[in-house]
Amino acid sequence: MNEKNEKNETMPTDKSVSERNPINEMLEDAQRIEGSGPPKKINMKTMPRWLRIFGYSFLILFFVFVLLILISSLVR
């Protein structure tokens, strides 16, 4: 604890409590026990550059393969 702040640093802030929206309520207790909290959305802009490039290229390749499969099924 800080002298200025009476809260412990590991205690949840008001922001984290207000954003609490469990995806699966059955897993909420297990996630709280593990200390990870509820799942959060991924913000690609906060990730390292190499991971963003890998993620975007994976998505692009996925959609290209889907288009190739659709085109090849129509051509037959």
Side-chain angles (χ1 to χ4, degrees):
M1 280 197 269
N2 294 338
E3 296 171 3
K4 297 177 185 176
N5 190 359
E6 295 298 322
K7 283 188 174 183
N8 190 343
E9 293 175 356
T10 59
M11 292 178 69
T13 60
D14 295 334
K15 183 179 179 183
S16 65
V17 173
S18 66
E19 290 178 354
R20 203 169 139 206
N21 187 10
I23 293 175
N24 188 347
E25 294 177 4
M26 294 175 65
L27 295 176
E28 184 180 10
D29 290 331
Q31 290 170 342
R32 192 175 322 123
I33 291 169
E34 293 173 357
S36 63
K40 298 176 182 116
K41 290 193 172 202
I42 297 173
N43 187 0
M44 289 291 280
K45 293 179 182 178
T46 61
M47 293 187 172
R49 174 178 258 169
W50 66 270
L51 197 56
R52 282 185 289 167
I53 292 171
F54 178 77
Y56 290 135
S57 62
F58 182 79
L59 286 173
I60 290 170
L61 285 174
F62 175 77
F63 288 114
V64 166
F65 283 130
V66 168
L67 285 174
L68 287 174
I69 291 171
L70 287 174
I71 291 170
S72 66
S73 67
L74 293 175
V75 172
R76 278 203 227 182

